[in-house]
Amino acid sequence: MYAVREVTKDLYWVGANDHRTHLFENIHPIPKGVSYNAYLLLDKSTVLVDTVDWSVFRQLIENMEYLLGDRPLDYLLINHLEPDHAASIGGILQRWPNVKIISSEKGFMFMRQFGFEVDSHELIEVKEGDTYTFGDHTVTFVAAPMVHWPEVLVTFDLTNGVLFSADAFGTFIALDGKLFADEVNFDRDWLDEARRYLTNIVGKYGPHIQLLLKKASGILDKIKYICPLHGPVWRENLMYFVEKYDKWSRYEPEEQGVMIVYASMYGNTEAAAQALATRLCDAGVTNVVVYDVSNTHVSYLISDAFKYSHIVLASVTYNLGIYPVMHNFLMDMKALNLQNRTFAIVENGSWACKSGDLIQKFVDEEMKNMTVLNERLSLASSLQPDKETELNNLVAAIADSFK
């Protein structure tokens, strides 16, 4: 049975929702599901903009057949070749063998690499600045390399102001009937998942996002709809989300607050982390979150690392090194290019307290534009009363750094 929504005149959402996949890209948990968005333009010519993951191909076909009726599909416009959007290309080509394909040079390269038999079709290679007309609707193309693959295009419909933004402005969470961002409480229910999506999928490529935003700045007043490949369509308050992307891609903290991440084997480092959180709140620093690095998927940690201005790393020493999952978190922050944060360190070691020096060395030498506070809380097995002054000094240093 079809399940479609009208975006605006002549344009329809024909995608699908997925609650069966547990791990996006086989790595990031998606407990609330995800949508795969594809769009069908019914002009003098018919145009499918991107496809869907192979797992929901049947839903895409039912949606398209309902809208097309007896009409053929004339064009397949592909902005992004990652398989969660492009895996159904082969099925589309088999069902509509006369369809013409529009994509970038690298887009066609990836199609061949994935084994899609595109060379028996008419291929229309486009680049930035090109235009193409389907009847009443004329589109233009903007190259968006490394947002987050090298072949990516974004397509702007000059007629109705629709920006097909590829993976930019996407988010986790299945739509489940609600197509538009103004149909949900985005700030309350979706923002954290939008940040987790951006920071983990595209976070490394902040400068490339900035370049795309700069290119788009000249047409911002003309954009009426943002149609991403995941998550809701934006038709109101577009600058709210554009400004979030601008902040995240500049690695600027979204909020002044403290994220405490602890690695604890037997609960002693955890107790120190909780004592620190309590005293911070007593000192008036109440925007505090605490995570066990062993029990929290790193994608959530990365999301909040992009959100908060201050990060406290509290780690036991393990085999004279940093506790492995804490080291993994550090490696992910480095890989995703996190910058411009203030760090504090809590270290623990029963017979050789090494983790603090190693964490500081990693932050200083492996990461960019970071500040590490001089005050450090060092524990020998557990937090004892003789460490009260050291703990209070760390609280004061964090509070002072907010000023």
Side-chain angles (χ1 to χ4, degrees), residues 224-324:
K224 307 302 180 187
Y225 299 83
I226 297 176
C227 291
L229 289 176
H230 299 290
V233 169
W234 290 80
R235 62 182 177 182
E236 296 181 5
N237 199 19
L238 273 60
M239 288 308 299
Y240 163 88
F241 206 30
V242 171
E243 288 168 0
K244 293 293 185 184
Y245 260 64
D246 180 46
K247 186 179 290 286
W248 295 332
S249 61
R250 285 188 287 110
Y251 307 104
E252 179 182 324
E254 190 177 337
E255 295 182 9
Q256 290 291 306
V258 182
M259 174 189 185
I260 301 174
V261 182
Y262 67 83
S264 187
M265 294 174 66
Y266 300 110
N268 293 300
T269 307
E270 177 185 7
Q274 290 292 346
L276 175 60
T278 301
R279 282 161 175 75
L280 282 169
C281 292
D282 272 343
V285 181
T286 56
N287 191 13
V288 177
V289 294
V290 180
Y291 291 107
D292 181 347
V293 71
S294 296
N295 293 325
T296 308
H297 191 273
V298 71
S299 67
Y300 293 95
L301 299 178
I302 289 295
S303 177
D304 269 8
F306 272 76
K307 179 178 181 179
Y308 293 106
S309 58
H310 289 61
I311 302 171
V312 178
L313 301 175
S315 179
V316 295
T317 301
Y318 192 83
N319 286 335
L320 299 180
I322 304 170
Y323 197 62

Side-chain angles (χ1 to χ4, degrees), residues 18-31:
D18 181 2
H19 285 283
R20 294 188 177 189
T21 300
H22 296 292
L23 295 174
F24 186 82
E25 296 185 340
N26 210 26
I27 187 171
H28 307 296
I30 44 173

Side-chain angles (χ1 to χ4, degrees), residues 20-277:
R20 294 188 177 189
T21 300
H22 296 292
L23 295 174
F24 186 82
E25 296 185 340
N26 210 26
I27 187 171
H28 307 296
I30 44 173
K32 298 180 181 179
V34 70
S35 70
Y36 307 112
N37 299 342
Y39 304 92
L40 185 65
L41 178 67
L42 299 180
D43 200 346
K44 290 183 175 62
S45 298
T46 60
V47 187
L48 177 63
V49 182
D50 292 296
T51 73
V52 296
D53 187 84
W54 182 251
S55 64
V56 292
F57 176 67
R58 174 182 171 182
Q59 185 66 65
L60 173 67
I61 292 301
E62 290 179 354
N63 292 342
M64 292 179 64
E65 289 182 339
Y66 164 71
L67 290 170
L68 287 171
D70 294 331
R71 298 184 67 182
L73 179 66
D74 298 309
Y75 292 93
L76 174 60
L77 195 167
I78 298 294
N79 290 300
H80 182 28
L81 265 294
E82 196 167 7
D84 56 333
H85 310 297
S88 295
I89 287 176
I92 294 293
L93 300 185
Q94 289 177 358
R95 192 167 291 259
W96 288 282
N98 295 319
V99 69
K100 304 176 184 69
I101 311 171
I102 302 173
S103 194
S104 65
E105 178 185 10
K106 288 185 178 178
F108 287 120
M109 178 190 76
F110 282 131
M111 289 182 207
R112 296 182 182 101
Q113 287 182 189
F114 280 116
F116 302 132
E117 296 179 358
V118 297
D119 289 314
S120 60
H121 296 260
E122 181 178 338
L123 306 183
I124 302 167
E125 184 182 305
V126 295
K127 60 183 183 304
E128 182 167 321
D130 288 350
T131 59
Y132 206 87
T133 299
F134 302 111
D136 294 331
H137 291 260
T138 297
V139 301
T140 188
F141 305 96
V142 178
M146 303 317 301
V147 186
H148 61 126
W149 278 27
E151 87 297 355
V152 174
L153 295 171
V154 299
T155 301
F156 182 56
D157 190 326
L158 298 164
T159 304
N160 58 14
V162 171
L163 179 69
F164 298 100
S165 62
D167 266 344
F169 303 109
T171 180
F172 298 134
I173 303 182
L175 293 170
D176 298 338
K178 303 174 289 295
L179 177 61
F180 298 101
D182 54 90
E183 294 178 327
V184 302
N185 189 329
F186 192 88
D187 202 61
R188 183 191 68 193
D189 299 331
W190 288 70
L191 180 59
D192 286 342
E193 288 294 82
R195 186 192 316 102
R196 188 165 70 94
Y197 172 86
L198 180 280
T199 56
N200 285 277
I201 307 301
V202 198
K204 178 179 180 179
Y205 304 109
H208 299 83
I209 298 172
Q210 284 291 303
L211 178 60
L212 177 59
L213 292 174
K214 184 177 179 180
K215 290 179 181 180
S217 63
I219 59 169
L220 278 178
D221 61 327
K222 299 180 179 64
I223 298 174
K224 307 302 180 187
Y225 299 83
I226 297 176
C227 291
L229 289 176
H230 299 290
V233 169
W234 290 80
R235 62 182 177 182
E236 296 181 5
N237 199 19
L238 273 60
M239 288 308 299
Y240 163 88
F241 206 30
V242 171
E243 288 168 0
K244 293 293 185 184
Y245 260 64
D246 180 46
K247 186 179 290 286
W248 295 332
S249 61
R250 285 188 287 110
Y251 307 104
E252 179 182 324
E254 190 177 337
E255 295 182 9
Q256 290 291 306
V258 182
M259 174 189 185
I260 301 174
V261 182
Y262 67 83
S264 187
M265 294 174 66
Y266 300 110
N268 293 300
T269 307
E270 177 185 7
Q274 290 292 346
L276 175 60

